[in-house]
Amino acid sequence: MSLTLTNLLFYQHRLSRHCATVTVVERHDDHLRPASLAPACVRLRRSTPRLFPLCRAIGDEAHSESNHSFSSMSPDIQRPIGDKSSVDGYVGLFVRMLGLDNDPLDREQAINTLWKYSQGGKKCIDGIMQFPGCINLVVSLLKSESSSACAAAAGLLHIVSAVSMYRDAIAESGAIEEISRLLCQHTLTSEVKKQSLCTLWNLSIDEKLRERISKGYLLPIIVKFLDDEEIKVKEAAGGVIANLTLSHHLHSLLVEAGVIPKLVVLLGNDDKEYKVIHNEAEVALLELSVDEYYRIFIIEEGLVRVPLIGAAAYKSFRSPTHSWPSLPDGTKIEKTSTPSRFGASDLLVGLTICEKSINLEEATADAIVGRSRQEFLARIGAIEVDGQDQKYTLLPWVDGIARLVLILRLEDVSGITKAAYAIADASISEHMRKSFKEAGAVGLLVQLMQHNSETVREAVAHALDRLSLSNIVRKKIEEEGVLKPLTSILKEPSTSNFLLEKAVCILSRIFEADSSINMELYENITDDSDHTNNNEVVSDVRKVTDASSHEEMKREVLNDSVFISRLIEMLRTSSPSLQVKLASILEYLVILEKNVAVVMAGGIEVALDAVFRKGSTNGMENDIDNGLAQYYIETEEIGLATAAASRLLARLLDFNQCYQIIDSGHFTVLLRDILKSSIPLHTKDWIAACLVKLDSKVSNTSELGYPIEKEVVLYETIPRLVNEMSSSFSHQDQETAVKELNKIISQGVIDYTKAVATAGGIFPLVKLIEEVSGDALEASLSLLYNLSMDIENHSAIVAAGAVPVLKRIVLSEGPQWTHALRILRTLPT
């Protein structure tokens, strides 16, 4: 029996409309008659199907760990809720018509009929899927040249994939690979693209299928469809990406495909028709924001992650409606002498600003706009909606900053903590840090440093630490009086390590910046006093006086023996990264001679000994067992800590009262050991300087073996010059380095020559000979000759390519050809 297109159209008409009568006919002897497959007349009870509203899923719900409570599915799947008579026998007929041996037009009509029939709900889907191999036939139609057949096949896969029990069968049939091939075509209709992407949307609910979807060239294609002109295609592509973001190990692939800028653009579209894609874009971006690095990318695109704390938390908000208006950072607006007749100038900041012709900076204007919006939403109770499952939302940075500052003014401890951490996360650039300052965040954060909850103080200290990276914001933090709460935190014995670390970081930035600023200010006044008028000098002196008074106020707070003793104790027991900052703070404190006695009495010698012992060769050999990468990180931190401690020790040696307490010989031995260790070369400069200063206090240098100067040259000067000669981008620096090395080697000390070879100086020296001329070339050849006197260096000199270079110099008969010839005679050539 063979069915014709006429028979197929007849079945399609009856099945799609659920008619009262179905007559199955076949062609026989050029006549149409009822077929034997079914009764001539089959009465079906007509029922008008009622459809569910657009639903998120048919089947399983995949839960996420973050804001999206389930893996989303294609939203345009409908199911009837009325009774439906069984038509399984006729479904089988159409499934058989999908066979590859049938006419392409018949197959197209059959797949269209089955697609429409599958929209009747899960019972209809089960009726189709009961036939083995039907999915393989449907997938094969994705290769059809007919757009209608491709769309119907993708649409049927879209509907069937909504049922969780059939997803594996669809994936095993090769549907993902066929859809990948199909989406690569440039001449696809919107319906084909939509149905294909919706199928992937449903399949991506399964975590193991997300791996297959993200592999190969399919992921960049899906991301590209976010720019499609058809809104439904964008929705489907956004749904797939939202599900893929639920697997955090796929985030790197998504970011590399450029998904973040596209999602941010879609999220910023407020059109009603973009509601679905708006939600999916927000879900995807929130999932990506779990990673701190990808969160930075999102912030750079102009969005800020803001915690949702519940509408009830905003009930404690009280807007200062009846107070005189001020800018968000707390700056008071000067009252006008001619107030508005109806009191508008008391309420509207803009009137006073316009009257005084004040030009606001853009950051200040943005802060005013953001504060007005968020306070208005809080007053009317529309800032958050109860019942939301999300923990965070994404807002444009103007509104996001204002919202976070508003949360800091509430009484909700959990909300304040989340907002402070969010401020720290968002403070990634100078623009963002300055925006938080203009919005009034600094003053609120400094006040919260005295909060009763240590959890709040930890979050606030973290935020202030990130904000203090900006010099402008750091000054504001200091002006708000942060020193007092910070010193109180350090003196508390029960303070957590995290809070101690953040407090030390903030203090070290304040002291380091103030030291450099005051030094530059005094130098400028001294240099320019001869050619400036009296008014400028008076102005500069006032600046110095103000700075000095500020310093006196600061030192009154910091001249506390308990506080200094606590710093010294932390220096002895803290990690190397924190020891760097603690040594910097103590170095600032001993600028005043009266603090030196307190520092010495607090046990600074024991603390410095603990720091130096970590950097000694014996103290670093055991750390390599933790792994090579971790070893290099720890070595860098230990090197920086020993350099900072050496700088502090050198500062203490400037005071005579320290000579009677500090054991110069003991520290000389420790620092010599550190100089020979594997700490980074750039951290050895202060160690060498401190050694030279200690050398003058050692009574018997013969007990130490080599003189201090010689060890400094061997382990600091020569390696540093070799490094400059090999890695510097400036030819002038390279020439200076080779000249200095030649002077050192010319002293005739054999150990110096070995040190140059050990530091790897032969290869960069030969390369430099090819590039330089004049005095630098003469110094290079002289250095190479001294190296060639040691037979152990011959193989390295030859391997570096010195022989052809020297021959060229000899053949050129230039001023240095005799030096080159002398070197060639010493080499085994």
Side-chain angles (χ1 to χ4, degrees), residues 233-248:
V233 176
K234 291 183 179 181
E235 291 178 359
V240 178
I241 291 172
N243 284 348
L244 292 179
T245 57
L246 299 180
S247 297
H248 290 178

Side-chain angles (χ1 to χ4, degrees), residues 206-225:
D206 195 329
E207 185 173 2
K208 63 179 179 294
L209 296 182
R210 294 177 201 152
E211 297 283 346
R212 294 176 58 181
I213 294 173
S214 61
K215 290 181 179 179
Y217 52 83
L218 181 56
L219 184 58
I221 294 174
I222 297 173
V223 174
K224 182 188 69 174
F225 282 125

Side-chain angles (χ1 to χ4, degrees), residues 206-417:
D206 195 329
E207 185 173 2
K208 63 179 179 294
L209 296 182
R210 294 177 201 152
E211 297 283 346
R212 294 176 58 181
I213 294 173
S214 61
K215 290 181 179 179
Y217 52 83
L218 181 56
L219 184 58
I221 294 174
I222 297 173
V223 174
K224 182 188 69 174
F225 282 125
L226 291 175
D227 295 329
D228 197 88
E229 297 178 356
E230 181 64 34
I231 183 62
K232 292 295 183 181
V233 176
K234 291 183 179 181
E235 291 178 359
V240 178
I241 291 172
N243 284 348
L244 292 179
T245 57
L246 299 180
S247 297
H248 290 178
H249 62 280
L250 300 179
H251 286 184
S252 59
L253 297 176
L254 290 165
V255 174
E256 290 173 2
V259 73
I260 289 180
K262 297 179 184 294
L263 291 176
V264 170
V265 172
L266 294 174
L267 185 62
N269 198 316
D270 296 330
D271 293 346
K272 292 183 179 180
E273 61 179 3
Y274 277 76
K275 183 178 180 180
V276 175
I277 185 61
H278 184 280
N279 294 335
E280 299 301 338
E282 183 179 17
V283 168
L285 288 172
L286 286 173
E287 288 291 345
L288 291 173
S289 68
V290 173
D291 189 290
E292 62 175 323
Y293 295 106
Y294 303 145
R295 191 185 308 146
I296 292 175
F297 295 159
I298 295 173
I299 295 173
E300 288 177 345
E301 293 295 330
L303 296 179
V304 175
R305 192 174 74 154
V306 176
L308 296 176
I309 61 175
Y314 290 93
K315 293 181 179 179
S316 62
F317 170 72
R318 295 292 182 270
S319 179
T321 308
H322 302 290
S323 63
W324 184 257
S326 62
L327 297 180
D329 64 349
T331 304
K332 298 295 183 181
I333 304 298
E334 183 181 355
K335 293 187 178 182
T336 177
S337 58
T338 56
S340 172
R341 178 179 179 184
F342 300 101
S345 60
D346 294 343
L347 302 175
L348 301 177
V349 178
L351 292 180
T352 304
I353 292 175
C354 292
E355 183 176 340
K356 296 295 184 181
S357 299
I358 299 177
N359 296 322
L360 291 178
E361 295 183 2
E362 183 178 359
T364 306
D366 291 334
I368 294 175
V369 172
R371 181 185 65 173
S372 302
R373 290 176 183 169
Q374 298 305 312
E375 289 186 356
F376 173 75
L377 292 175
R379 283 196 297 268
I380 66 174
I383 197 166
E384 281 191 26
V385 180
D386 288 328
Q388 289 180 318
D389 295 331
Q390 295 181 186
K391 296 180 180 179
Y392 293 92
T393 188
L394 293 170
L395 295 176
W397 68 269
V398 173
D399 295 314
I401 290 175
R403 176 78 65 88
L404 292 174
V405 174
L406 177 60
I407 295 175
L408 294 179
R409 295 160 57 186
L410 303 178
E411 298 176 358
D412 185 73
V413 174
S414 175
I416 293 173
T417 304

Side-chain angles (χ1 to χ4, degrees), residues 512-527:
E512 288 175 0
D514 286 352
S515 297
S516 59
I517 290 173
N518 290 337
M519 185 63 67
E520 291 178 2
L521 185 58
Y522 278 105
E523 289 178 354
N524 291 337
I525 294 175
T526 303
D527 296 339

